[in-house]
Amino acid sequence: MSGILYVVGTPIGNLSDFSPRAIETLQQVDFIAAEDTRVTLKLLNHFEIKKPMVSYHEHNLRERGMMIIRRIQEGESCAVVSDAGMPCISDPGEDLVRLAAENSISAVVIPGPSAAVSALCLSGLSTSRFCFEGFLSTNRHNRQLHLESLKNDPHTLIFYEAPHKLQNTLQDLYKAFGNRRISLARELTKVHEEVLRTDLEGAVAYFQEKAPKGEFVLIVEGAPEQEEKESCTLEEAVAAAKVLAGDGMKPTEAARITASETGFKKSEIYAGMLKE
Ligand code: SAM
């Protein structure tokens, strides 16, 4: 009988966020695959858990992944954890879950906090549709292509960034998107937790005065919805306004409503209505 792979979320700062179920799982598994065993050892010590660990990080995941899968196939259970937050989210784990699926091994999630969703919830920006973009590439060309591909994306965008690269990234976002609202969540769940809600121009100026410190998540407002407005021609807008006017609405009111729905000017729609 194969064992089980547990994907266990760990705190992003505040150890009280570690759930009883997560503690129980780490106590019960046969071994833990940890991104950095020194970091996880501190967590284990805090909760008085003694468990063998193997290191599992981005530089050894190929050979280590198969070794972990073989042990699970032989009946052992394994918990994969990263340094903080959910494994698999800009952290090792994705590959291991894929390997488990390919080898018909059950994977069970023990959810914990993730900086991305936590920051989104505090942003005050739209949470109904969002897109996680992780870290931007440090390669200039790839970074530009990535930002270019997001320029017209209406979803709220989530980025991770290291403090020493923050100012540069804010400038690149401003260049690519123009001025948009942004919420910067810093040191979530820690003593210096802070949320700065501003716009890209304001954020660039703010961090020119004050060097960024700690861990940041950037939540950027999506592109304004334009598709519907652009997909309608002026003739179609005029026709729609005429329908409203034909139903008894004042022509100026019909032009105003159609203008707000299509993006054309009220005056050009009204002029179109008067032509015939
Ligand atoms: N797997 C993690 C998760 O689920 O949140 C993310 C790991 S990623 C390597 C690390 C990045 O997450 C940091 O550079 C920062 O952008 C963000 N982050 C992690 N902890 C944070 C915190 N307490 N406050 C703000 N951002 C945090």
Side-chain angles (χ1 to χ4, degrees):
M1 276 278 282
S2 284
I4 291 175
L5 173 68
Y6 293 92
V7 179
V8 181
T10 59
I12 55 172
N14 192 324
L15 291 182
S16 301
D17 291 335
F18 206 36
S19 74
R21 186 169 171 236
I23 297 170
E24 210 173 283
T25 303
L26 294 194
Q27 280 164 340
Q28 286 174 2
V29 290
D30 294 294
F31 68 104
I32 297 169
E35 180 183 11
D36 184 334
T37 53
R38 290 162 305 179
V39 173
T40 301
L41 186 61
K42 287 187 196 149
L43 184 75
L44 298 187
N45 287 343
H46 182 86
F47 291 100
E48 297 178 359
I49 301 168
K50 286 195 176 14
K51 200 57 66 178
M53 284 190 273
V54 296
S55 77
Y56 178 71
H57 48 72
E58 61 174 326
H59 304 296
N60 71 2
L61 52 81
R62 269 168 204 260
E63 44 99 10
R64 230 5 107 73
M66 266 330 287
M67 186 209 90
I68 293 166
I69 291 297
R70 263 183 236 114
R71 285 181 66 174
I72 299 175
Q73 281 172 326
E74 284 162 11
E76 291 188 272
S77 285
C78 170
V80 60
V81 298
S82 64
D83 290 353
M86 284 305 291
C88 313
I89 306 299
S90 293
D91 265 347
E94 172 189 333
D95 234 54
L96 202 52
V97 175
R98 181 183 52 76
L99 282 176
E102 284 169 7
N103 288 277
S104 308
I105 289 169
S106 302
V108 171
V109 70
I110 314 292
S114 183
V117 172
S118 306
L120 176 68
C121 293
L122 287 185
S123 68
L125 297 173
S126 171
T127 56
S128 55
R129 298 186 70 190
F130 57 89
C131 207
F132 176 66
E133 300 297 329
F135 291 95
L136 285 169
S137 170
T138 47
N139 174 290
R140 197 95 220 119
H141 179 66
N142 292 346
R143 170 180 277 241
Q144 265 163 13
L145 286 180
H146 187 170
L147 290 176
E148 188 60 33
S149 75
L150 295 175
K151 209 167 70 180
N152 297 318
D153 193 325
H155 303 138
T156 300
L157 303 170
I158 307 178
F159 300 93
Y160 284 160
E161 194 48 286
H164 63 284
K165 297 186 194 148
L166 184 69
Q167 180 60 281
N168 194 26
T169 293
L170 289 171
Q171 286 173 5
D172 287 347
L173 290 171
Y174 183 44
K175 265 185 233 149
F177 300 159
N179 204 13
R180 283 199 200 165
R181 289 192 292 162
I182 179 173
S183 166
L184 296 106
R186 182 175 93 90
E187 295 284 90
L188 290 173
T189 80
K190 303 183 198 177
V191 182
H192 299 292
E193 173 173 319
E194 200 173 26
V195 180
L196 175 66
R197 298 184 188 89
T198 176
D199 53 26
L200 283 167
E201 202 178 345
V204 169
Y206 182 88
F207 289 106
Q208 260 156 7
E209 296 295 316
K210 192 176 177 190
K213 275 194 202 140
E215 300 199 88
F216 284 87
V217 181
L218 282 50
I219 310 289
V220 183
E221 180 179 33
E225 297 272 6
Q226 273 176 344
E227 253 172 49
E228 267 182 43
K229 292 184 178 176
E230 281 174 0
S231 64
C232 169
T233 64
L234 178 60
E235 288 70 28
E236 285 164 341
V238 170
K242 279 185 181 169
V243 171
L244 291 179
D247 286 345
M249 193 180 279
K250 275 170 70 179
T252 48
E253 182 62 2
R256 187 188 66 75
I257 290 178
T258 317
S260 72
E261 284 170 359
T262 60
F264 290 106
K265 285 187 193 145
K266 177 185 162 189
S267 56
E268 54 188 350
I269 295 179
Y270 189 65
M273 291 169 77
L274 296 181
K275 261 190 195 162
E276 288 168 25

